[in-house]
Amino acid sequence: MCNPDVVGDEAVVAAAGPGEPAEDLTAVLSKIARTLEPEADVDRAVEHIVRAAAATVPGADEAGVSLLESGTMRSVAPSGDVVAHLDQLQHRLHEGPCVDAIHERPVYRTGDIGADPRWPRFGREAAASGVSSMLGFKLFTSTSTIGALNLYSWRADAFDDDAERIGELFAAHAAVTLAGSQGLAHLHVALRTRDTIGMAKGILMERHGVDADRAFALLVEASQHANVKLRDAAEWLVSRFRPAAGSPATGRPGDGH
């Protein structure tokens, strides 16, 4: 077992079992930390995390991530159908290690999910699906809660203190990765929105003979009149009136369409 007073890299060394050299485990975790790099595709980043978690944390047979988006949890890249079902069940019942990890303590562990009094409804369904043990970790940074990492095992009491310690280290790396991925995704959306609005303004300037400020004002008026976001109004205008390469314009605002 790990020494509770050991922290940082020493915790990883202490987590190595008798058949698993400490230096090998440290190397594996270090390699994973380097490969979990942020990318703009959040779902793909989660997929990498799920695969790495199932392969890294001792006792884990399956894994999944629940992202917290506008107060709602979304299951992303589950490693199998059972994981997808149980992740969704936790969301629907508002019960389970995933839910409590997000809203209560950062780590939850159970070795007999079917008999755990903390989650009676979810536990019965999980046991019926063949799952016996679970580990749930909050994915968070100093500024935000991103979601939860769920680890599943078909065996009872599959996760011990060492698995929990390694899982916490892994979850910390994963949270930083996902925070970076979400930031990149938001930046890409912002850049695409700016470009789309710019194209929509250009269309209005050309068709109505107005300057950039007036074109933007017309776009704002149109979005308010239609009760849609400015971005959506710009996307509609661009898709409706920008001609395909080598083709004439297919419609004009006054054509009655």
Side-chain angles (χ1 to χ4, degrees), residues 49 138-141 144 146 170-180 182:
I49 288 169
K138 178 186 291 189
L139 298 175
F140 67 102
T141 66
S144 64
I146 300 166
F170 186 92
H173 289 306
V176 172
T177 296
L178 286 178
Q182 289 177 335

Side-chain angles (χ1 to χ4, degrees), residues 10 96 102 112 164 173 177 199 210 229 242 245:
E10 293 177 1
I102 288 177
D112 185 359
E164 185 173 321
H173 289 306
T177 296
M199 287 188 285
V210 297
K229 293 180 180 179
R242 184 179 63 177

Side-chain angles (χ1 to χ4, degrees), residues 110-130:
T110 182
D112 185 359
I113 188 68
D116 198 312
R118 293 174 291 183
W119 314 294
R121 294 176 298 169
F122 170 74
R124 286 192 298 269
E125 183 70 23
S129 299

Side-chain angles (χ1 to χ4, degrees), residues 18-248:
E20 193 169 9
E23 61 271 16
D24 290 349
L25 183 55
T26 303
V28 168
L29 287 173
S30 297
K31 180 179 179 180
I32 288 173
R34 287 192 294 271
T35 58
L36 293 182
E37 296 183 356
E39 54 181 291
D41 188 333
V42 175
D43 285 13
R44 180 165 176 168
V46 172
E47 184 179 346
H48 293 162
I49 288 169
V50 165
R51 285 203 306 266
T56 302
V57 179
D61 294 313
E62 304 282 352
V65 166
S66 295
L67 292 183
L68 190 61
E69 298 175 339
S70 302
T72 301
M73 287 183 285
R74 177 172 69 95
S75 181
V76 181
S79 61
D81 291 340
V82 170
V83 174
H85 168 64
L86 294 180
D87 280 358
Q88 293 290 350
L89 184 65
Q90 291 188 78
H91 305 169
R92 189 170 70 252
L93 295 176
H94 303 289
E95 177 184 301
C98 164
V99 176
D100 284 357
I102 288 177
H103 297 293
E104 303 291 341
R105 298 200 317 266
V107 182
Y108 280 87
R109 182 174 86 192
T110 182
D112 185 359
I113 188 68
D116 198 312
R118 293 174 291 183
W119 314 294
R121 294 176 298 169
F122 170 74
R124 286 192 298 269
E125 183 70 23
S129 299
V131 169
S132 294
S133 301
M134 281 190 65
L135 261 178
F137 297 96
K138 178 186 291 189
L139 298 175
F140 67 102
T141 66
S142 60
T143 59
S144 64
T145 296
I146 300 166
L149 169 66
N150 295 313
L151 301 178
Y152 298 85
S153 177
W154 309 119
R155 295 174 290 110
D157 300 313
F159 301 112
D160 57 14
D161 291 345
D162 294 342
E164 185 173 321
R165 183 68 62 88
I166 295 169
E168 285 186 285
L169 292 171
F170 186 92
H173 289 306
V176 172
T177 296
L178 286 178
S181 292
Q182 289 177 335
L184 287 173
H186 293 158
L187 177 60
H188 283 208
V189 169
L191 291 174
R192 286 197 299 270
T193 297
R194 185 191 66 178
D195 291 344
T196 302
I197 290 175
M199 287 188 285
K201 284 168 55 180
I203 291 170
L204 292 173
M205 290 169 66
E206 178 185 357
R207 289 177 175 272
H208 296 286
V210 297
D211 61 17
D213 290 341
R214 180 54 184 157
F216 183 73
L218 288 172
L219 188 60
V220 170
E221 291 172 10
S223 69
Q224 292 174 342
H225 180 73
N227 195 28
V228 298
K229 293 180 180 179
L230 183 65
R231 178 188 62 197
D232 294 337
E235 288 177 349
W236 179 88
L237 186 66
V238 169
S239 64
R240 183 79 170 88
F241 295 107
R242 184 179 63 177
S247 301

Side-chain angles (χ1 to χ4, degrees), residues 207 240-241 249-257:
R207 289 177 175 272
R240 183 79 170 88
F241 295 107
T250 58
R252 293 180 182 275
D255 284 345
H257 297 290

